[in-house]
Amino acid sequence: DLTPGAPFGNGFPHFSYGPRIHEFLQEMHEQVFATREAQLITVGEMPGVTVEQARLFTDSNRRELNMVFQFEHVGLDHGPEGKWDHKPLDLRELKVSFRKWQEGLAQTGWNSLYWNNHDQPRAVSRFGNDGEYWLQSAKALAAVLHFQQGTPFIYQGEEIGMTNVPFLDVSDFRDIESLNYFADSKNRLNSSPSQALSNLRRSSRDNARTPMQWNAEENAGFSSEQPWIKVNPNYPSINAANQIGDPDSIFEFYRSLIKLRKEEDILTKGNFVLLEPEHPHLFAYTRTWEDEIILVMANFADFEIDISGTEIASFKQAKRLLVSNYKSVLMEAGTVLQPWEVRVLKY
């Protein structure tokens, strides 16, 4: 029961995580998944799930699911009033969230790793810089995610750096949640139409639902017919045809990350240790397994940062440079990271 007479209410506590959910999932596994485990991967979409609950769902001995989608990290830029009430992302909170899930499922269970999906605005616009450092920040976000333990998910267009859309008018939107919010902003929320439209441009899930940008032809090569929603106007420059085969492209960078994950057992088996959790701009961690160490360091700022006084300074000459998004880079941790630079070294 919700508050009588209220036009809106939160029903989530009444239907989420029911008392028989594990029983039902185990039954489904036994009757549907068990005979085809080699061909199937199961993922539970579970907003509000805790680490402790996720361990139960993904413990292979319990025979329920392979992994879950949790939503903690994609809610960190939400204000007190929810997703439309935007607040600047605090990188320190993001790092702590990732660490909690990496450590929490390290021994029992398994993580899903993602920035984007059909309900989230584009990551390079949300967490990166889709202007001056579009290329660098898209690659940095990719590397920071893909070197963690878990299974990375790549949402359509992420691999070419598709961005949020400069919607001109509320009539450009199709998502019912977005349209309802705009109506509520006038009728109930006391927000101006211009402010509401600004919030929609930043946070609407329609940002992730525009047609895939295949090439620079009509409708980005998606269709010769008018699509249900407008194509992002930057498709002549951001499209798959422009990037396939270009060694400096975001697409080929993703290919290199996938190749590394298949080659490096440490990325599956190694433990995760977050470095400099209180640094406001540096995202750094290690993966360690047997006698190998991988160091991941990324600058989440539009300016260079000095890392000579951080924990990274103790790392010396590396055996191999695995990944970089700048052409001139040292085979050591170094003292400076360029804007949105990511560097991954193996020791």
Side-chain angles (χ1 to χ4, degrees), residues 134-149:
W134 164 75
L135 183 72
Q136 293 88 345
S137 63
K139 291 180 178 181
L141 290 170
V144 163
L145 196 75
H146 279 241
F147 281 94
Q148 295 184 46
Q149 185 182 57

Side-chain angles (χ1 to χ4, degrees), residues 269-301:
K269 302 173 182 178
N271 70 318
F272 173 98
V273 176
L274 181 68
L275 306 177
E276 298 292 338
E278 294 302 316
H279 197 292
H281 308 299
L282 174 65
F283 198 150
Y285 60 87
T286 58
R287 300 292 308 281
T288 305
W289 182 58
E290 295 183 342
D291 60 347
E292 294 183 334
I293 298 174
I294 286 179
L295 169 65
V296 179
M297 48 184 165
N299 176 10
F300 272 57

Side-chain angles (χ1 to χ4, degrees), residues 219-235:
N219 296 322
F222 179 82
S223 173
S224 59
E225 301 297 327
Q226 185 67 34
W228 74 97
I229 191 171
K230 291 181 179 179
V231 179
N232 192 320
N234 63 15
Y235 76 88

Side-chain angles (χ1 to χ4, degrees), residues 58 78 122 136 184 198 202 217 238 253 280 287 313 322 336:
T58 62
H78 295 178
R122 292 289 178 177
Q136 293 88 345
D184 291 340
S198 176
R202 179 176 53 236
E217 298 175 7
I238 299 178
F253 190 82
R287 300 292 308 281
L322 296 180
V336 171

Side-chain angles (χ1 to χ4, degrees), residues 132-133 136-137 140 281-283 297-307 324-330 333-343:
E132 182 179 1
Y133 297 106
Q136 293 88 345
S137 63
H281 308 299
L282 174 65
F283 198 150
M297 48 184 165
N299 176 10
F300 272 57
D302 296 339
F303 46 83
E304 69 177 33
I305 58 173
D306 185 346
I307 56 175
S324 173
N325 60 351
Y326 276 77
K327 292 183 178 180
S328 298
V329 66
L330 300 174
T335 58
V336 171
L337 285 177
Q338 299 301 310
W340 290 100
E341 179 181 355
V342 64
R343 198 182 312 169

Side-chain angles (χ1 to χ4, degrees), residues 155-285:
Y155 178 71
Q156 60 175 32
E158 176 183 350
E159 74 278 21
I160 60 170
M162 283 179 60
T163 68
N164 277 0
V165 184
F167 294 106
L168 299 178
D169 186 80
V170 67
S171 63
D172 291 334
F173 292 88
R174 298 292 180 268
D175 170 39
I176 190 65
E177 179 192 41
S178 299
L179 296 174
N180 284 345
Y181 163 73
F182 189 81
D184 291 340
S185 70
K186 295 186 293 184
N187 302 332
R188 190 172 64 91
L189 302 177
N190 297 320
S191 177
S192 69
S194 61
Q195 181 59 52
L197 187 58
S198 176
N199 293 344
L200 286 174
R201 289 192 191 103
R202 179 176 53 236
S203 302
S204 172
R205 52 192 181 184
D206 270 343
N207 283 298
R209 299 177 177 188
T210 56
M212 177 65 187
Q213 293 163 213
W214 293 108
N215 54 45
E217 298 175 7
E218 181 184 12
N219 296 322
F222 179 82
S223 173
S224 59
E225 301 297 327
Q226 185 67 34
W228 74 97
I229 191 171
K230 291 181 179 179
V231 179
N232 192 320
N234 63 15
Y235 76 88
S237 58
I238 299 178
N239 63 68
N242 281 352
Q243 296 193 30
I244 295 173
D246 177 358
D248 293 327
S249 71
I250 297 168
F251 179 81
E252 296 298 340
F253 190 82
Y254 268 88
R255 272 186 163 174
S256 69
L257 294 177
I258 294 168
K259 184 173 184 288
L260 282 169
R261 288 189 63 89
K262 293 180 177 180
E263 294 173 348
E264 299 285 348
D265 288 342
I266 186 174
L267 297 179
T268 302
K269 302 173 182 178
N271 70 318
F272 173 98
V273 176
L274 181 68
L275 306 177
E276 298 292 338
E278 294 302 316
H279 197 292
H281 308 299
L282 174 65
F283 198 150
Y285 60 87

